[in-house]
Amino acid sequence: MPLNATFALTAVLAAMMVNPATMVATHHGGSIIQSDTLFRYDWNRTGIAHESSDIVTPQVRWTFQTDGVFATAPLTYDVDGDGKKEVFFGQIKSNSDPRTLYALDSLGQPIWTDPVKWDVRANAVSDIDGDGTPEVIFSELSFGPKNGLSLYVADAVTGALKWTYMDVGTFWEEGFAASPVLFDVNNDGVKDLTLGSLDRHVYTFDGARGSILWRSPVFEHYILASSPFADLNGDGERDFVALDNHAVARAYSIKTHTMLWERRIGYGVEATPAIGDLNGDGKPEIVFSFIDSGGIQVLRNDGSLLWANEDHTYFYTSPTLVDVDGDGLPDVVNGDSFAHTIVAYRGTDGTELWQTVLPDTDWSQAALVTADIDGDGRLEILAGSDVGLYSLDAKTGQIEWFFPARWLRSEPRVADIDGDGKAEVLFGAGDGKLYVIGQSRPPRFEPRTIGYWKHQCNVGSPSGEHVGMPQSFIDAIRSRSAVFSNLTTPKQACDILWAEYKGDIMGMAKRQLLALWLNVVSGFVDPTVQIDLPKLTNATTVGGAILDTENTILTHTDKPSLERVKNLCDSINNGKIK
């Protein structure tokens, strides 16, 4: 394994980051719509994303830089009902400095942050108490004693904590990595949280208050895996499967916490198992993946073995269940991290259908996700590696595209965050960044007028189309502009926009230039956009027009020259480029 001890620990932490899903589920009181966002996209933890995209040539939409070693996998959820999804994620660091949980809007602007003690990740987003306002569930995790690490439930809109539970633990490890099962166990109308802990127990917490409703008998080792959730024994009630690092698996009833069965099935577990009807008998099977021994194993709903294939191991990744061979039944696709090889197994008997070695890397650890990534009606599989993200044809394993990024260890999220009907792909990476990618598009040209930018001076919290006047815009302009090299604060920019110039043509030219710079640094206008304004400039791009204007303002004081560049910027700011 090509990792030193410190990096291996970071890899394990990052591998357990979680991603969400929107789904319909049955609650104890009947059928309701649950907009719960979950690791592996659904309660069966299949890794199937139900949103599609049009990505053939991936391009960065935006990135967000943390001060950590890793940005963890994101959750997405439309918390304010505007048709766009907010983004929640955490960070991992290599030192003892405090960590941060982030909430961003769909454009990557921070909404709120929560400081925490240790490595943190968002585990789920759900309206737990049914009041119309969602909560975000997140947790800390360490493989060394930290005098207690916590599970948190916070208001997803504001970040305000509602309750927390501190796990001190009696062993070396502390905290929580799993995405919880959300189900009203005590019939109070509030979803409760059931998940495993690094202290070797599974807990059910009261969703309203955080008190412990149930704690399992101790497992042999810590529990990193999230629990798949389905009716295993056909009694009409849901059950969950818990799995510890020593590959001790237990199935429990969610309502009564009665243990249905217990099996030791291999050794070394980091990956969350998945549930699906692999052989078409109408009963669910559970797919397990192992690191040290066991390969891929599939158990029937009663815990007996359906099949095992041990030709590969080092399955740090979670499997995805997708019909590869066209027989109408789900097959199993997973990745051998050490061999950086993605393998598809026939769901009925474990026969290998295809395998693809990911090129130019020596490690691949991100949980696999299935989605129609390019919008052609065929499914692809997203596989992360230490050099970037690959998209593979699910039927053949053929690589369709590759996006370079450093150390992808967590699950990618496929979600339409900007509300345009085409999903983006979001993932955390080992450069501390959160990436949002989509289909490469023509250079963006959606300029805002001076009136729009004047209004942003009064926007306290960015929302929807109104991005405000963040310090990051000012810093970007100052670093790129000679005219505005002394611009340091949003207030200074607003003073320029709101000033009464009364015939001061230099002031008016600078105001139009500032508005054009704001259009560029905000992302509304790509500087490579072609223009054709021969009466105003010889420049052929927006960037060239900015350079012409900067040079003119710095070297001319005569009215005709300044009038020309004022009109040039005004024309572009009003969308007139020809």
Side-chain angles (χ1 to χ4, degrees):
M1 181 172 175
L3 301 168
N4 61 36
T6 299
F7 193 73
L9 171 59
T10 303
V12 171
L13 289 166
M16 296 312 300
M17 299 306 101
V18 299
N19 277 72
T22 300
M23 53 185 300
V24 177
T26 301
H27 207 259
H28 78 277
S31 293
I32 62 171
I33 300 296
Q34 292 190 141
S35 298
D36 299 333
T37 59
L38 307 166
F39 176 52
R40 306 304 294 142
Y41 288 84
D42 55 45
W43 290 122
N44 291 346
R45 315 289 187 180
T46 61
I48 298 175
H50 299 290
E51 298 184 63
S52 63
S53 190
D54 60 350
I55 304 175
V56 177
T57 305
Q59 181 185 59
V60 172
R61 290 279 185 269
W62 52 263
T63 64
F64 184 89
Q65 180 71 61
T66 76
D67 61 352
V69 176
F70 273 86
T72 66
L75 304 171
T76 60
Y77 196 104
D78 181 5
V79 301
D80 55 10
D82 67 351
K84 299 179 181 181
K85 294 185 175 74
E86 285 69 38
V87 183
F88 304 88
F89 66 103
Q91 65 179 171
I92 292 171
K93 290 187 176 181
S94 58
N95 56 33
S96 59
D97 291 345
R99 275 65 163 162
T100 303
L101 181 83
Y102 298 92
L104 311 180
D105 67 15
S106 61
L107 296 175
Q109 298 299 316
I111 302 172
W112 54 261
T113 59
D114 272 343
V116 297
K117 181 178 180 179
W118 205 248
D119 292 334
V120 64
R121 73 292 329 281
N123 292 331
V125 185
S126 173
D127 182 5
I128 292 175
D129 53 15
D131 66 353
T133 300
E135 287 74 39
V136 58
I137 303 158
F138 58 101
S139 64
E140 299 167 311
L141 165 69
S142 174
F143 288 90
K146 298 294 181 293
N147 298 316
L149 296 177
S150 294
L151 177 72
Y152 303 90
V153 174
D155 186 303
V157 177
T158 66
L161 282 177
K162 291 195 169 183
W163 60 260
T164 182
Y165 173 82
M166 180 176 288
D167 175 41
V168 177
T170 57
F171 299 95
W172 184 260
E173 301 86 3
E174 293 180 345
F176 297 85
S179 176
V181 172
L182 301 173
F183 187 86
D184 185 1
V185 173
N186 58 357
N187 298 325
D188 65 352
V190 177
K191 300 173 192 174
D192 305 305
L193 285 62
T194 299
L195 72 164
S197 167
L198 268 76
D199 71 6
R200 311 187 183 198
H201 296 275
V202 177
Y203 292 87
T204 294
F205 296 101
D206 182 287
R209 292 166 290 276
S211 57
I212 298 174
L213 299 178
W214 172 76
R215 188 176 81 157
S216 74
V218 67
F219 279 72
E220 283 191 10
H221 216 271
Y222 55 70
I223 302 169
L224 295 174
S226 301
S227 291
F229 185 42
D231 181 4
L232 293 179
N233 57 7
D235 65 355
E237 299 292 347
R238 292 202 167 202
D239 313 298
F240 66 92
V241 177
L243 180 67
D244 76 2
N245 183 60
H246 281 180
V248 173
R250 297 176 188 166
Y252 287 97
S253 165
I254 188 66
K255 291 188 71 172
T256 67
H257 297 118
T258 302
M259 189 168 70
L260 307 181
W261 48 260
E262 179 179 24
R263 298 286 185 275
R264 181 187 300 280
I265 46 179
Y267 190 77
V269 175
E270 305 289 352
T272 289
I275 288 179
D277 181 7
L278 303 190
N279 58 8
D281 65 355
K283 299 177 182 179
E285 283 77 43
I286 310 103
V287 182
F288 298 92
S289 309
F290 303 101
I291 298 170
D292 297 315
S293 63
I296 299 288
Q297 291 192 36
V298 176
L299 300 190
R300 296 182 180 90
N301 63 306
D302 62 2
S304 61
L305 181 68
L306 177 64
W307 59 261
N309 189 319
E310 299 189 33
D311 289 347
H312 288 269
T313 186
Y314 290 104
F315 288 110
Y316 285 86
T317 65
S318 293
T320 186
L321 305 186
V322 54
D323 183 7
V324 170
D325 58 10
D327 65 356
L329 298 173
D331 302 301
V332 178
V333 183
N334 207 346
D336 181 330
S337 297
F338 185 76
H340 45 95
T341 300
I342 311 302
V343 187
Y345 302 90
R346 189 160 59 207
T348 53
D349 59 12
T351 299
E352 186 177 310
L353 299 174
W354 56 256
Q355 66 171 272
T356 298
V357 177
L358 302 181
D360 304 319
T361 188
D362 58 7
W363 194 258
S364 61
Q365 192 167 318
L368 304 184
V369 169
T370 297
D372 183 1
I373 293 298
D374 55 14
D376 65 355
R378 291 166 57 95
L379 294 173
E380 284 76 38
I381 295 171
L382 293 176
S385 75
D386 273 13
V387 296
L389 184 68
Y390 295 88
S391 177
L392 283 65
D393 184 295
K395 295 292 184 183
T396 66
Q398 180 178 354
I399 296 173
E400 296 188 347
W401 55 255
F402 168 73
F403 180 85
R406 184 184 183 190
W407 296 338
L408 273 63
R409 301 298 176 86
S410 58
E411 178 178 292
R413 172 63 177 166
V414 179
D416 177 13
I417 63 170
D418 57 12
D420 69 352
K422 301 294 183 182
E424 288 73 42
V425 179
L426 300 82
F427 55 88
D431 55 5
K433 286 183 182 178
L434 177 76
Y435 286 80
V436 178
I437 64 174
Q439 170 59 14
S440 177
R441 294 175 181 171
R444 187 179 184 188
F445 186 70
E446 300 174 15
R448 271 54 172 174
T449 64
I450 280 181
Y452 168 89
W453 287 112
K454 289 171 71 174
H455 176 66
Q456 300 317 297
C457 294
N458 300 317
V459 174
S461 299
S463 177
E465 287 295 307
H466 293 288
V467 297
M469 190 69 66
Q471 183 65 44
S472 60
F473 288 3
I474 307 305
D475 295 342
I477 292 172
R478 183 178 65 254
S479 68
R480 298 166 65 180
S481 168
V483 171
F484 299 114
S485 61
N486 294 319
L487 190 69
T488 58
T489 67
K491 182 181 183 304
Q492 289 175 334
C494 290
D495 288 344
I496 293 171
L497 293 171
W498 279 97
E500 293 288 342
Y501 292 103
K502 296 181 180 180
D504 177 6
I505 190 64
M506 175 68 81
M508 289 187 282
K510 287 183 178 180
R511 177 168 61 181
Q512 288 288 351
L513 175 62
L514 178 59
L516 184 52
W517 268 120
L518 286 166
N519 278 318
V520 169
V521 299
S522 65
F524 289 135
V525 171
D526 191 307
T528 65
V529 168
Q530 299 289 310
I531 65 172
D532 183 17
L533 299 169
K535 293 183 179 180
L536 296 175
T537 183
N538 292 326
T540 58
T541 65
V542 169
I546 291 176
L547 182 61
D548 181 6
T549 303
E550 291 254 339
N551 288 334
T552 300
I553 289 175
L554 292 171
T555 60
H556 291 70
T557 57
D558 62 288
K559 183 175 180 180
S561 296
L562 296 174
E563 186 85 32
R564 177 183 68 82
V565 293
K566 176 187 77 71
N567 292 338
L568 170 60
C569 294
D570 179 59
S571 179
I572 297 172
N573 288 331
N574 282 278
K576 300 174 183 178
I577 54 177
K578 292 184 179 181

